[in-house]
Amino acid sequence: MPDEARWRVGGWLGPWRAATVEQRRTGLLAAGSAVVGLAVAATCVVAAGPWDSGQRTAERQRAASGAHPGDDGRPGPDPARAPDAAPVLAPLGAPLASANPDTGERSVPVPTGPGLADALEPLLRDDALGPLRAGAVVDVATGRQLYGAKAGTGAIPASTVKIATGVAALSALGPGHRLTTRVTAAPGAPGRIVLVGGGDPTLTARATRGPDGSHPASLRQLADETARALRARGEHTVRLGYDTSLYAGTSRHPILPNENLAPVTALMVDEGRRDDSDRGPADRVKDPAAEAARTFAKLLRDRGVKVTGDPRPTSDRDKGGAKDAKGGAGGPGRTLASVRSQPLSSLVERMLTYSDNDIAEALTRHTARATGHPASFAGGRAAVTARLKRLGLPVAGAHLADGSGLDRADKVSAGLLAQLLARAAGPDQPALRPVLTGLPVAGFTGTLRDRYGKEAVGRGVVRAKTGTLYGVNTLAGTVVDADGRLLTFAFLTNGSTDPAAAQRVLDRLASAVANCGCR
């Protein structure tokens, strides 16, 4: 197979990115820009962003080098050759859709419900799935559900609930929003400074980049700027306090303690991990805020600032100020230094690609704050539900107990998940595109890297968010079918006893949607 026809990992719409120049020029992929369905798809790619930062750049660079990504984000052992694109380019052999005799525009046929049922229902009957098995397929161009099997039934979604979290956060805050961690000078208390948590779980004390090649907010940089500001004030000895009042309520998720999530607090460094990992399960510190403050104190000492005593939690009364209008820390202390997170678009992508639970729980609280709700589990639940309802999504019967999907009290329907993704692809919602670009690529990236073998039909074509808890397996994402129609899908099963077998069936279901015109 020619090099130019090999699969490129960074492409969301594999068939178009993998095509040769001549194939694109002659329209062999039935991808005319005037076609309604594919115009929407093209809009998603162009507006998807941020294509020049974070995870998307890392994917694009790996694609250019032909490297297979390793677990650490670096190229794998065989960077000389990209995987063959046979599954991606399979639609090339399909006949072209008919053209309008007046305009020359090509139409892309819509799959039919019976056609999809023929392809999907035999798989949904597989014994590897649990007693509750549900599915939905939605056409992006029209927003119409083409197929449903218990599509309106609430099921435990596991981590696919992060799709709802991302949509709500982007809708409420916008893709360019950043989370700010500050150091303030306590009013009326010379020599006293406060580290104010901004709810940024990606804040790092390490000198390296993030797992997606990004530059998260750096505690080292904050220490540099704070030390300079103190020297400019003639202060060389300080007492350090830390403020976590941005969030309300308990920091304890129902599953804690658990290696998949740190206590949910507005101040943490490297997600409270005790090791040097940057994603996946890891032992967590019991008090991430106190640990972050101790780390910051050490960094200040390394920069010539004497920090007396141990850092202590600081209340608004201690700062001499009051909470701001949204219930966060807002006293009159002067800001000495600050660092900002990557834009929300990058945080949503990272959350979805790596199924980052800490980011998910943080985003629900920021969504709550942005919409006038308490930044707590209950406030986040109310805020996310309200945002989805405002977008006209079918939230009846949904129960969003948390933002990460770790709580088994979550209930979401397959129909809602498929509609969430369709809305994110809509031409009127460009702010929601990171929900699509953050989806792992089957067989290549994130939580789908080790799924879909080299011969799997869906390899490189399916982009989807995974979900796994004990007895729960889910998959929701996007595909372009064999006729070139952009579709979203969601498949959920509860009560399964063999997770590996259940995952294989879900992967086959997504591949079936991608591989058939289903008419």
Side-chain angles (χ1 to χ4, degrees):
M1 179 175 295
D3 289 342
E4 62 266 33
R6 298 200 182 279
W7 167 242
R8 300 177 182 179
V9 177
W12 176 51
L13 298 180
W16 287 272
R17 281 192 176 266
T20 65
V21 172
E22 185 61 27
Q23 287 165 341
R24 289 194 295 269
R25 199 175 281 152
T26 57
L28 290 180
L29 296 176
S33 62
V35 179
V36 175
L38 299 187
V40 174
T43 300
C44 292
V45 173
V46 173
W51 287 97
D52 293 323
S53 67
Q55 175 66 16
R56 301 316 106 191
T57 297
E59 286 187 2
R60 185 170 58 190
Q61 290 171 343
R62 287 196 294 270
S65 69
H68 189 93
D71 285 337
D72 57 0
R74 296 191 294 266
D78 184 18
R81 179 178 182 275
D84 287 340
V88 179
L89 300 180
L92 290 176
L96 289 174
S98 59
N100 184 311
D102 297 323
T103 65
E105 295 175 358
R106 298 186 182 277
S107 62
V108 179
V110 184
T112 67
L116 286 165
D118 287 344
L120 300 177
E121 289 184 355
L123 295 172
L124 281 171
R125 291 193 291 268
D126 195 295
D127 291 340
L129 301 181
L132 174 55
R133 48 193 77 184
V137 178
V138 170
D139 176 42
V140 168
T142 64
R144 184 165 60 92
Q145 182 174 296
L146 305 177
Y147 171 80
K150 295 186 177 179
T153 301
I156 302 172
S159 281
T160 51
V161 84
K162 291 183 175 76
I163 296 170
T165 301
V167 166
L170 290 165
S171 170
L173 295 159
H177 183 77
R178 295 174 187 258
L179 313 179
T180 302
T181 305
R182 300 180 292 128
V183 175
T184 64
R192 190 165 180 275
I193 61 174
V194 179
L195 176 61
V196 183
D200 178 10
T202 65
L203 180 67
T204 182
R206 299 168 184 167
T208 58
R209 295 184 179 186
D212 51 8
S214 63
H215 294 277
S218 169
L219 197 68
R220 292 168 181 254
Q221 179 185 339
L222 188 62
D224 288 338
E225 294 182 7
T226 301
R228 283 195 294 268
L230 290 171
R231 284 194 294 270
R233 291 161 59 98
E235 297 182 24
H236 304 283
T237 301
V238 296
R239 290 176 296 146
L240 176 64
Y242 60 94
D243 172 23
T244 62
S245 63
L246 189 75
Y247 290 174
T250 181
S251 65
R252 186 178 179 82
H253 188 282
I255 69 162
L256 290 179
N258 190 283
E259 62 183 8
N260 289 293
L261 179 70
V264 184
T265 177
L267 177 62
M268 63 170 63
V269 172
D270 295 309
E271 299 183 335
R273 296 170 181 271
R274 292 184 182 274
D275 58 19
D276 61 357
S277 65
D278 50 25
R279 58 188 183 272
D283 189 23
R284 311 299 182 103
V285 298
K286 292 182 179 180
D287 189 343
E291 184 65 25
R294 285 191 288 268
T295 301
F296 186 64
K298 180 180 183 304
L299 291 171
L300 287 177
R301 293 185 183 106
D302 291 343
R303 286 154 178 79
V305 177
K306 183 178 179 181
V307 182
T308 61
D310 293 328
R312 299 182 61 181
T314 303
S315 69
D316 290 302
R317 179 186 302 175
D318 294 333
K319 291 184 302 194
K323 290 190 175 182
D324 66 19
K326 294 180 180 178
R334 175 187 172 188
T335 297
L336 298 178
S338 65
V339 290
R340 299 198 304 163
S341 72
Q342 291 291 104
L344 186 67
S345 53
S346 293
L347 300 186
V348 168
E349 287 186 334
R350 176 170 164 178
M351 171 187 70
L352 294 170
T353 300
Y354 297 110
S355 200
D356 193 302
N357 299 308
D358 299 280
I359 294 178
E361 295 301 343
L363 293 187
T364 60
R365 280 153 182 74
H366 287 286
T367 301
R369 280 179 45 78
T371 55
H373 294 81
S376 62
F377 282 104
R381 177 165 58 248
V384 172
T385 303
R387 293 307 296 184
L388 301 190
K389 187 178 296 185
R390 183 173 177 176
L391 288 169
L393 290 157
V395 297
H399 180 69
L400 303 172
D402 66 358
S404 61
L406 291 171
D407 194 331
R408 300 179 74 89
D410 286 318
K411 291 292 187 295
V412 173
S413 69
L416 174 57
L417 289 173
Q419 287 289 353
L420 278 164
L421 291 163
R423 188 60 54 87
D428 60 336
Q429 296 290 343
L432 304 183
R433 298 291 187 266
V435 171
L436 301 182
T437 57
L439 295 175
V441 182
F444 288 91
T445 61
T447 55
L448 282 183
R449 180 183 180 273
D450 295 324
R451 288 168 60 167
Y452 290 84
K454 291 185 177 180
E455 304 304 320
V457 171
R459 183 177 173 84
V461 179
V462 173
R463 292 200 77 147
K465 180 71 197 75
T466 59
T468 307
L469 292 172
Y470 181 77
V472 176
N473 297 97
T474 60
L475 190 69
T478 66
V479 296
V480 177
D481 76 1
D483 290 321
R485 196 84 183 186
L486 178 61
L487 307 173
T488 66
F489 66 86
F491 298 107
L492 302 87
T493 184
N494 291 177
S496 54
T497 58
D498 185 340
Q503 286 177 356
R504 284 193 294 270
V505 176
L506 296 181
D507 293 347
R508 290 170 61 198
L509 282 161
S511 297
V513 178
N515 196 47
C516 83
C518 294
R519 296 187 301 280

PDB file of all heavy atoms in Angstrom, residues 301-333:
ATOM      1  N   ARG A 301      11.414  27.541  49.425  1.00  0.00           N
ATOM      2  CA  ARG A 301      12.692  27.469  50.152  1.00  0.00           C
ATOM      3  C   ARG A 301      13.845  27.269  49.177  1.00  0.00           C
ATOM      4  O   ARG A 301      14.924  27.847  49.346  1.00  0.00           O
ATOM      5  CB  ARG A 301      12.640  26.343  51.183  1.00  0.00           C
ATOM      6  CG  ARG A 301      11.657  26.592  52.332  1.00  0.00           C
ATOM      7  CD  ARG A 301      11.735  25.492  53.384  1.00  0.00           C
ATOM      8  NE  ARG A 301      10.755  25.693  54.446  1.00  0.00           N
ATOM      9  CZ  ARG A 301       9.645  24.967  54.589  1.00  0.00           C
ATOM     10  NH1 ARG A 301       9.389  23.965  53.749  1.00  0.00           N
ATOM     11  NH2 ARG A 301       8.813  25.234  55.570  1.00  0.00           N
ATOM     12  N   ASP A 302      13.630  26.436  48.160  1.00  0.00           N
ATOM     13  CA  ASP A 302      14.667  26.205  47.145  1.00  0.00           C
ATOM     14  C   ASP A 302      15.017  27.494  46.407  1.00  0.00           C
ATOM     15  O   ASP A 302      16.109  27.600  45.819  1.00  0.00           O
ATOM     16  CB  ASP A 302      14.203  25.163  46.134  1.00  0.00           C
ATOM     17  CG  ASP A 302      14.092  23.767  46.730  1.00  0.00           C
ATOM     18  OD1 ASP A 302      14.670  23.542  47.812  1.00  0.00           O
ATOM     19  OD2 ASP A 302      13.417  22.911  46.116  1.00  0.00           O
ATOM     20  N   ARG A 303      14.115  28.467  46.443  1.00  0.00           N
ATOM     21  CA  ARG A 303      14.314  29.735  45.743  1.00  0.00           C
ATOM     22  C   ARG A 303      14.707  30.863  46.683  1.00  0.00           C
ATOM     23  O   ARG A 303      14.606  32.054  46.348  1.00  0.00           O
ATOM     24  CB  ARG A 303      13.043  30.075  44.960  1.00  0.00           C
ATOM     25  CG  ARG A 303      12.898  29.198  43.713  1.00  0.00           C
ATOM     26  CD  ARG A 303      11.464  29.033  43.284  1.00  0.00           C
ATOM     27  NE  ARG A 303      11.393  28.219  42.065  1.00  0.00           N
ATOM     28  CZ  ARG A 303      11.495  26.887  42.033  1.00  0.00           C
ATOM     29  NH1 ARG A 303      11.692  26.219  43.165  1.00  0.00           N
ATOM     30  NH2 ARG A 303      11.421  26.240  40.892  1.00  0.00           N
ATOM     31  N   GLY A 304      15.132  30.486  47.892  1.00  0.00           N
ATOM     32  CA  GLY A 304      15.675  31.466  48.819  1.00  0.00           C
ATOM     33  C   GLY A 304      14.674  32.147  49.717  1.00  0.00           C
ATOM     34  O   GLY A 304      15.015  33.104  50.416  1.00  0.00           O
ATOM     35  N   VAL A 305      13.434  31.674  49.721  1.00  0.00           N
ATOM     36  CA  VAL A 305      12.412  32.248  50.588  1.00  0.00           C
ATOM     37  C   VAL A 305      12.307  31.377  51.837  1.00  0.00           C
ATOM     38  O   VAL A 305      12.104  30.161  51.727  1.00  0.00           O
ATOM     39  CB  VAL A 305      11.043  32.337  49.876  1.00  0.00           C
ATOM     40  CG1 VAL A 305       9.982  32.882  50.833  1.00  0.00           C
ATOM     41  CG2 VAL A 305      11.143  33.204  48.631  1.00  0.00           C
ATOM     42  N   LYS A 306      12.399  31.966  52.992  1.00  0.00           N
ATOM     43  CA  LYS A 306      12.254  31.207  54.229  1.00  0.00           C
ATOM     44  C   LYS A 306      10.772  31.086  54.567  1.00  0.00           C
ATOM     45  O   LYS A 306      10.068  32.089  54.705  1.00  0.00           O
ATOM     46  CB  LYS A 306      12.985  31.904  55.372  1.00  0.00           C
ATOM     47  CG  LYS A 306      12.932  31.128  56.683  1.00  0.00           C
ATOM     48  CD  LYS A 306      13.721  31.834  57.781  1.00  0.00           C
ATOM     49  CE  LYS A 306      13.643  31.049  59.095  1.00  0.00           C
ATOM     50  NZ  LYS A 306      14.398  31.740  60.182  1.00  0.00           N
ATOM     51  N   VAL A 307      10.299  29.856  54.693  1.00  0.00           N
ATOM     52  CA  VAL A 307       8.908  29.595  55.041  1.00  0.00           C
ATOM     53  C   VAL A 307       8.898  29.045  56.462  1.00  0.00           C
ATOM     54  O   VAL A 307       9.440  27.962  56.719  1.00  0.00           O
ATOM     55  CB  VAL A 307       8.244  28.607  54.073  1.00  0.00           C
ATOM     56  CG1 VAL A 307       6.780  28.391  54.447  1.00  0.00           C
ATOM     57  CG2 VAL A 307       8.356  29.105  52.636  1.00  0.00           C
ATOM     58  N   THR A 308       8.285  29.772  57.376  1.00  0.00           N
ATOM     59  CA  THR A 308       8.270  29.351  58.772  1.00  0.00           C
ATOM     60  C   THR A 308       7.055  28.476  59.070  1.00  0.00           C
ATOM     61  O   THR A 308       5.951  28.743  58.597  1.00  0.00           O
ATOM     62  CB  THR A 308       8.245  30.578  59.702  1.00  0.00           C
ATOM     63  OG1 THR A 308       7.047  31.334  59.452  1.00  0.00           O
ATOM     64  CG2 THR A 308       9.449  31.461  59.459  1.00  0.00           C
ATOM     65  N   GLY A 309       7.291  27.439  59.845  1.00  0.00           N
ATOM     66  CA  GLY A 309       6.200  26.566  60.247  1.00  0.00           C
ATOM     67  C   GLY A 309       5.656  25.743  59.090  1.00  0.00           C
ATOM     68  O   GLY A 309       6.156  25.780  57.965  1.00  0.00           O
ATOM     69  N   ASP A 310       4.625  24.969  59.386  1.00  0.00           N
ATOM     70  CA  ASP A 310       3.965  24.160  58.368  1.00  0.00           C
ATOM     71  C   ASP A 310       2.819  24.955  57.740  1.00  0.00           C
ATOM     72  O   ASP A 310       2.163  25.750  58.421  1.00  0.00           O
ATOM     73  CB  ASP A 310       3.397  22.880  58.989  1.00  0.00           C
ATOM     74  CG  ASP A 310       4.485  21.937  59.470  1.00  0.00           C
ATOM     75  OD1 ASP A 310       5.572  21.919  58.838  1.00  0.00           O
ATOM     76  OD2 ASP A 310       4.257  21.232  60.477  1.00  0.00           O
ATOM     77  N   PRO A 311       2.569  24.748  56.460  1.00  0.00           N
ATOM     78  CA  PRO A 311       1.427  25.413  55.835  1.00  0.00           C
ATOM     79  C   PRO A 311       0.128  25.031  56.543  1.00  0.00           C
ATOM     80  O   PRO A 311      -0.058  23.878  56.946  1.00  0.00           O
ATOM     81  CB  PRO A 311       1.455  24.888  54.398  1.00  0.00           C
ATOM     82  CG  PRO A 311       2.857  24.440  54.176  1.00  0.00           C
ATOM     83  CD  PRO A 311       3.317  23.916  55.501  1.00  0.00           C
ATOM     84  N   ARG A 312      -0.763  25.988  56.673  1.00  0.00           N
ATOM     85  CA  ARG A 312      -2.020  25.739  57.380  1.00  0.00           C
ATOM     86  C   ARG A 312      -3.195  26.137  56.503  1.00  0.00           C
ATOM     87  O   ARG A 312      -3.110  27.095  55.730  1.00  0.00           O
ATOM     88  CB  ARG A 312      -2.053  26.541  58.682  1.00  0.00           C
ATOM     89  CG  ARG A 312      -0.947  26.175  59.648  1.00  0.00           C
ATOM     90  CD  ARG A 312      -1.063  26.961  60.941  1.00  0.00           C
ATOM     91  NE  ARG A 312      -2.331  26.668  61.621  1.00  0.00           N
ATOM     92  CZ  ARG A 312      -2.680  27.236  62.764  1.00  0.00           C
ATOM     93  NH1 ARG A 312      -1.887  28.120  63.347  1.00  0.00           N
ATOM     94  NH2 ARG A 312      -3.831  26.921  63.333  1.00  0.00           N
ATOM     95  N   PRO A 313      -4.307  25.397  56.611  1.00  0.00           N
ATOM     96  CA  PRO A 313      -5.505  25.789  55.859  1.00  0.00           C
ATOM     97  C   PRO A 313      -5.973  27.167  56.299  1.00  0.00           C
ATOM     98  O   PRO A 313      -5.873  27.521  57.478  1.00  0.00           O
ATOM     99  CB  PRO A 313      -6.525  24.704  56.203  1.00  0.00           C
ATOM    100  CG  PRO A 313      -6.032  24.089  57.466  1.00  0.00           C
ATOM    101  CD  PRO A 313      -4.540  24.206  57.443  1.00  0.00           C
ATOM    102  N   THR A 314      -6.464  27.942  55.362  1.00  0.00           N
ATOM    103  CA  THR A 314      -6.829  29.329  55.612  1.00  0.00           C
ATOM    104  C   THR A 314      -8.288  29.552  55.270  1.00  0.00           C
ATOM    105  O   THR A 314      -8.730  29.232  54.164  1.00  0.00           O
ATOM    106  CB  THR A 314      -5.957  30.272  54.752  1.00  0.00           C
ATOM    107  OG1 THR A 314      -4.593  30.022  55.044  1.00  0.00           O
ATOM    108  CG2 THR A 314      -6.285  31.728  55.027  1.00  0.00           C
ATOM    109  N   SER A 315      -9.035  30.114  56.202  1.00  0.00           N
ATOM    110  CA  SER A 315     -10.443  30.411  55.951  1.00  0.00           C
ATOM    111  C   SER A 315     -10.576  31.835  55.463  1.00  0.00           C
ATOM    112  O   SER A 315      -9.656  32.637  55.526  1.00  0.00           O
ATOM    113  CB  SER A 315     -11.256  30.245  57.247  1.00  0.00           C
ATOM    114  OG  SER A 315     -10.911  31.266  58.173  1.00  0.00           O
ATOM    115  N   ASP A 316     -11.774  32.182  54.967  1.00  0.00           N
ATOM    116  CA  ASP A 316     -12.014  33.544  54.519  1.00  0.00           C
ATOM    117  C   ASP A 316     -11.881  34.531  55.666  1.00  0.00           C
ATOM    118  O   ASP A 316     -11.442  35.655  55.489  1.00  0.00           O
ATOM    119  CB  ASP A 316     -13.409  33.652  53.896  1.00  0.00           C
ATOM    120  CG  ASP A 316     -13.478  32.925  52.559  1.00  0.00           C
ATOM    121  OD1 ASP A 316     -12.695  33.265  51.672  1.00  0.00           O
ATOM    122  OD2 ASP A 316     -14.303  32.010  52.424  1.00  0.00           O
ATOM    123  N   ARG A 317     -12.250  34.117  56.888  1.00  0.00           N
ATOM    124  CA  ARG A 317     -12.107  35.000  58.043  1.00  0.00           C
ATOM    125  C   ARG A 317     -10.635  35.307  58.267  1.00  0.00           C
ATOM    126  O   ARG A 317     -10.244  36.444  58.550  1.00  0.00           O
ATOM    127  CB  ARG A 317     -12.718  34.353  59.280  1.00  0.00           C
ATOM    128  CG  ARG A 317     -12.574  35.229  60.526  1.00  0.00           C
ATOM    129  CD  ARG A 317     -13.067  34.490  61.769  1.00  0.00           C
ATOM    130  NE  ARG A 317     -14.451  34.078  61.617  1.00  0.00           N
ATOM    131  CZ  ARG A 317     -15.094  33.332  62.515  1.00  0.00           C
ATOM    132  NH1 ARG A 317     -14.463  32.925  63.597  1.00  0.00           N
ATOM    133  NH2 ARG A 317     -16.347  33.004  62.324  1.00  0.00           N
ATOM    134  N   ASP A 318      -9.788  34.266  58.111  1.00  0.00           N
ATOM    135  CA  ASP A 318      -8.358  34.472  58.307  1.00  0.00           C
ATOM    136  C   ASP A 318      -7.795  35.480  57.303  1.00  0.00           C
ATOM    137  O   ASP A 318      -6.907  36.253  57.615  1.00  0.00           O
ATOM    138  CB  ASP A 318      -7.590  33.152  58.158  1.00  0.00           C
ATOM    139  CG  ASP A 318      -7.931  32.166  59.266  1.00  0.00           C
ATOM    140  OD1 ASP A 318      -8.316  32.621  60.353  1.00  0.00           O
ATOM    141  OD2 ASP A 318      -7.813  30.953  59.028  1.00  0.00           O
ATOM    142  N   LYS A 319      -8.350  35.463  56.076  1.00  0.00           N
ATOM    143  CA  LYS A 319      -7.853  36.358  55.039  1.00  0.00           C
ATOM    144  C   LYS A 319      -8.426  37.757  55.185  1.00  0.00           C
ATOM    145  O   LYS A 319      -8.028  38.685  54.492  1.00  0.00           O
ATOM    146  CB  LYS A 319      -8.219  35.817  53.652  1.00  0.00           C
ATOM    147  CG  LYS A 319      -7.479  34.552  53.286  1.00  0.00           C
ATOM    148  CD  LYS A 319      -7.799  34.120  51.887  1.00  0.00           C
ATOM    149  CE  LYS A 319      -9.271  33.902  51.743  1.00  0.00           C
ATOM    150  NZ  LYS A 319      -9.642  33.173  50.534  1.00  0.00           N
ATOM    151  N   GLY A 320      -9.441  37.905  56.048  1.00  0.00           N
ATOM    152  CA  GLY A 320     -10.060  39.194  56.206  1.00  0.00           C
ATOM    153  C   GLY A 320     -11.006  39.536  55.092  1.00  0.00           C
ATOM    154  O   GLY A 320     -11.382  40.688  54.914  1.00  0.00           O
ATOM    155  N   GLY A 321     -11.413  38.563  54.308  1.00  0.00           N
ATOM    156  CA  GLY A 321     -12.289  38.815  53.172  1.00  0.00           C
ATOM    157  C   GLY A 321     -13.520  37.958  53.234  1.00  0.00           C
ATOM    158  O   GLY A 321     -13.757  37.228  54.187  1.00  0.00           O
ATOM    159  N   ALA A 322     -14.334  38.041  52.211  1.00  0.00           N
ATOM    160  CA  ALA A 322     -15.562  37.270  52.128  1.00  0.00           C
ATOM    161  C   ALA A 322     -15.572  36.503  50.825  1.00  0.00           C
ATOM    162  O   ALA A 322     -14.802  36.782  49.913  1.00  0.00           O
ATOM    163  CB  ALA A 322     -16.774  38.202  52.198  1.00  0.00           C
ATOM    164  N   LYS A 323     -16.466  35.551  50.734  1.00  0.00           N
ATOM    165  CA  LYS A 323     -16.580  34.786  49.499  1.00  0.00           C
ATOM    166  C   LYS A 323     -17.131  35.670  48.384  1.00  0.00           C
ATOM    167  O   LYS A 323     -17.884  36.606  48.618  1.00  0.00           O
ATOM    168  CB  LYS A 323     -17.486  33.575  49.703  1.00  0.00           C
ATOM    169  CG  LYS A 323     -16.842  32.517  50.593  1.00  0.00           C
ATOM    170  CD  LYS A 323     -17.654  31.251  50.584  1.00  0.00           C
ATOM    171  CE  LYS A 323     -16.952  30.148  51.381  1.00  0.00           C
ATOM    172  NZ  LYS A 323     -17.693  28.889  51.341  1.00  0.00           N
ATOM    173  N   ASP A 324     -16.752  35.338  47.160  1.00  0.00           N
ATOM    174  CA  ASP A 324     -17.259  36.113  46.042  1.00  0.00           C
ATOM    175  C   ASP A 324     -18.680  35.703  45.729  1.00  0.00           C
ATOM    176  O   ASP A 324     -19.263  34.844  46.380  1.00  0.00           O
ATOM    177  CB  ASP A 324     -16.334  35.977  44.824  1.00  0.00           C
ATOM    178  CG  ASP A 324     -16.299  34.575  44.252  1.00  0.00           C
ATOM    179  OD1 ASP A 324     -17.225  33.794  44.535  1.00  0.00           O
ATOM    180  OD2 ASP A 324     -15.362  34.268  43.509  1.00  0.00           O
ATOM    181  N   ALA A 325     -19.252  36.293  44.668  1.00  0.00           N
ATOM    182  CA  ALA A 325     -20.665  36.081  44.365  1.00  0.00           C
ATOM    183  C   ALA A 325     -20.978  34.649  44.016  1.00  0.00           C
ATOM    184  O   ALA A 325     -22.125  34.216  44.114  1.00  0.00           O
ATOM    185  CB  ALA A 325     -21.084  37.019  43.224  1.00  0.00           C
ATOM    186  N   LYS A 326     -19.991  33.893  43.578  1.00  0.00           N
ATOM    187  CA  LYS A 326     -20.237  32.512  43.185  1.00  0.00           C
ATOM    188  C   LYS A 326     -19.809  31.527  44.258  1.00  0.00           C
ATOM    189  O   LYS A 326     -19.730  30.329  44.026  1.00  0.00           O
ATOM    190  CB  LYS A 326     -19.509  32.203  41.866  1.00  0.00           C
ATOM    191  CG  LYS A 326     -20.070  32.982  40.683  1.00  0.00           C
ATOM    192  CD  LYS A 326     -19.326  32.632  39.414  1.00  0.00           C
ATOM    193  CE  LYS A 326     -19.887  33.398  38.223  1.00  0.00           C
ATOM    194  NZ  LYS A 326     -19.145  33.111  36.977  1.00  0.00           N
ATOM    195  N   GLY A 327     -19.504  32.007  45.429  1.00  0.00           N
ATOM    196  CA  GLY A 327     -19.196  31.099  46.528  1.00  0.00           C
ATOM    197  C   GLY A 327     -17.762  30.669  46.595  1.00  0.00           C
ATOM    198  O   GLY A 327     -17.423  29.725  47.297  1.00  0.00           O
ATOM    199  N   GLY A 328     -16.852  31.344  45.877  1.00  0.00           N
ATOM    200  CA  GLY A 328     -15.455  30.939  45.902  1.00  0.00           C
ATOM    201  C   GLY A 328     -14.611  31.884  46.728  1.00  0.00           C
ATOM    202  O   GLY A 328     -15.082  32.875  47.272  1.00  0.00           O
ATOM    203  N   ALA A 329     -13.330  31.554  46.831  1.00  0.00           N
ATOM    204  CA  ALA A 329     -12.423  32.389  47.594  1.00  0.00           C
ATOM    205  C   ALA A 329     -12.282  33.737  46.907  1.00  0.00           C
ATOM    206  O   ALA A 329     -12.014  33.798  45.717  1.00  0.00           O
ATOM    207  CB  ALA A 329     -11.070  31.707  47.704  1.00  0.00           C
ATOM    208  N   GLY A 330     -12.490  34.802  47.639  1.00  0.00           N
ATOM    209  CA  GLY A 330     -12.444  36.087  46.971  1.00  0.00           C
ATOM    210  C   GLY A 330     -12.028  37.239  47.853  1.00  0.00           C
ATOM    211  O   GLY A 330     -12.393  38.373  47.590  1.00  0.00           O
ATOM    212  N   GLY A 331     -11.313  37.002  48.924  1.00  0.00           N
ATOM    213  CA  GLY A 331     -10.906  38.073  49.812  1.00  0.00           C
ATOM    214  C   GLY A 331     -10.087  39.132  49.090  1.00  0.00           C
ATOM    215  O   GLY A 331      -9.668  38.955  47.953  1.00  0.00           O
ATOM    216  N   PRO A 332      -9.815  40.252  49.760  1.00  0.00           N
ATOM    217  CA  PRO A 332      -9.159  41.380  49.113  1.00  0.00           C
ATOM    218  C   PRO A 332      -7.651  41.248  49.013  1.00  0.00           C
ATOM    219  O   PRO A 332      -6.977  42.199  48.643  1.00  0.00           O
ATOM    220  CB  PRO A 332      -9.553  42.548  50.019  1.00  0.00           C
ATOM    221  CG  PRO A 332      -9.679  41.934  51.379  1.00  0.00           C
ATOM    222  CD  PRO A 332     -10.245  40.564  51.132  1.00  0.00           C
ATOM    223  N   GLY A 333      -7.088  40.098  49.362  1.00  0.00           N
ATOM    224  CA  GLY A 333      -5.643  39.932  49.296  1.00  0.00           C
ATOM    225  C   GLY A 333      -5.110  40.208  47.907  1.00  0.00           C
ATOM    226  O   GLY A 333      -5.694  39.818  46.895  1.00  0.00           O
TER     227      GLY A 333
END
